[in-house]
């Protein structure tokens, strides 16, 4: 569904980017500005690594409990999901290079430039979206009763990237889809014991 939404958004991306730009001063968009960094990859990677190392240290020095093992495994699954998702994401960025909305606003430049290594063509897909949906899927596996909440929060944080014109809507939708698929496949192939039945 997110991939399909991303394809549809390609037809309205420019119009929506201009709409969002015109509303940047409104309270909702100012709130988006305050929370958008919650989807950044760096802090989540650091947190997952620290949790993994901390639980591994506890297991080595104290004792292995089911809870310590589960926390360690979920943290490692999240790190693996980030790795898988990032590889997919950056391959797509190279092959389907896309300018960011700011290029449209400042220079009138819009569109894809295929097979480029140039950093200005790095809008599609959104790395923030991919990151926060990886987190949401892992949290959904660990706390399945709260799955709607995790996915809703991830979707809201992803949308802030388009609202703030850092990305187009299509970038956000496809980034989210990559996060879900990368994490799902990581669970099924590498951590099957952690995979809930619905995954």
């Amino acid at each position: 569904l997110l991939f399909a939404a991303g394809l549809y958004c390609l037809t309205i991306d420019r119009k929506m980017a201009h709409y969002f730009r015109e509303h940047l001063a409104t309270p909702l968009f100012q709130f988006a500005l305050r929370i958008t960094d919650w989807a950044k990859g760096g802090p989540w990677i650091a947190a997952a690594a620290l949790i993994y190392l901390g639980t591994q240290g506890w297991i080595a020095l104290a004792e292995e409990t089911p809870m310590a093992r589960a926390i360690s495994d979920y943290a490692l699954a999240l790190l693996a999901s980030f790795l898988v998702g990032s590889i997919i994401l950056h391959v797509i960025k190279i092959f389907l290079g896309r300018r960011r909305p700011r290029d449209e606003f400042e220079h009138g430049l819009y569109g894809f430039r295929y097979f480029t290594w140039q950093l200005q063509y790095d809008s599609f897909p959104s790395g923030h979206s991919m990151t926060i949906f990886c987190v949401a899927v892992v949290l959904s596996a660990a706390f399945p009763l709260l799955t709607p909440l995790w996915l809703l929060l991830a979707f809201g944080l992803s949308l802030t990237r388009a609202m703030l014109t850092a990305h187009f809507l299509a970038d956000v939708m496809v980034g989210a889809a990559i996060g879900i698929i990368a994490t799902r496949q990581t669970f099924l192939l590498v951590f099957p014991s952690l995979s809930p039945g619905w995954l």
Side-chain angles (χ1 to χ4, degrees):
L1 289 176
L2 286 167
F3 272 124
L7 290 175
Y8 170 74
C9 285
L10 287 172
T11 66
I12 61 169
D13 268 343
R14 295 178 84 177
K15 182 177 180 180
M16 292 305 299
H18 283 274
Y19 172 83
F20 291 144
R21 189 183 188 212
E22 292 167 3
H23 292 79
L24 286 175
T26 62
L28 178 61
F29 284 69
Q30 290 301 303
F31 177 69
L33 181 61
R34 288 196 295 273
I35 66 171
T36 191
D37 284 345
W38 295 358
K40 264 190 174 178
W44 287 107
I45 293 169
L50 287 172
I51 291 170
Y52 174 73
L53 293 173
T55 51
Q56 284 297 305
W58 174 265
I59 289 170
L61 298 174
E63 62 174 324
E64 179 173 342
T65 64
M67 180 174 287
R69 173 54 59 190
I71 292 171
S72 174
D73 287 348
Y74 280 117
L76 187 58
L78 181 56
L79 289 169
S81 299
F82 286 152
L83 178 62
V84 172
S86 292
I87 291 171
I88 296 169
L89 185 97
H90 286 93
V91 167
I92 293 173
K93 282 181 184 287
I94 291 168
F95 283 93
L96 299 178
R98 188 185 201 188
R99 287 188 177 272
R100 288 183 182 265
R102 64 172 177 261
D103 294 328
E104 160 84 2
F105 304 141
E106 297 171 7
H107 309 292
L109 299 172
Y110 172 82
F112 290 85
R113 183 176 174 186
Y114 308 114
F115 308 108
T116 179
W117 293 84
Q118 297 176 340
L119 293 179
Q120 68 263 39
Y121 297 96
D122 67 346
S123 188
F124 181 88
S126 165
H128 282 66
S129 256
M130 182 217 74
T131 295
I132 203 61
F133 268 90
C134 286
V135 173
V137 174
V138 170
L139 287 174
S140 297
F143 307 101
L145 292 178
L146 296 176
T147 294
L149 174 63
W150 307 134
L151 295 177
L152 184 63
L153 288 173
F155 190 70
L157 284 169
S158 294
L159 281 181
T160 65
R161 305 307 294 160
M163 292 171 64
L164 298 172
T165 66
H167 283 281
F168 291 103
L169 274 174
D171 308 343
V172 168
M173 298 298 176
V174 175
I178 291 170
I180 291 173
I181 292 171
T183 310
R184 177 183 184 272
Q185 293 307 115
T186 299
F187 269 113
L188 293 178
L189 298 176
V190 186
F191 301 93
S193 63
L194 300 180
S195 303
W198 52 265
L199 195 60

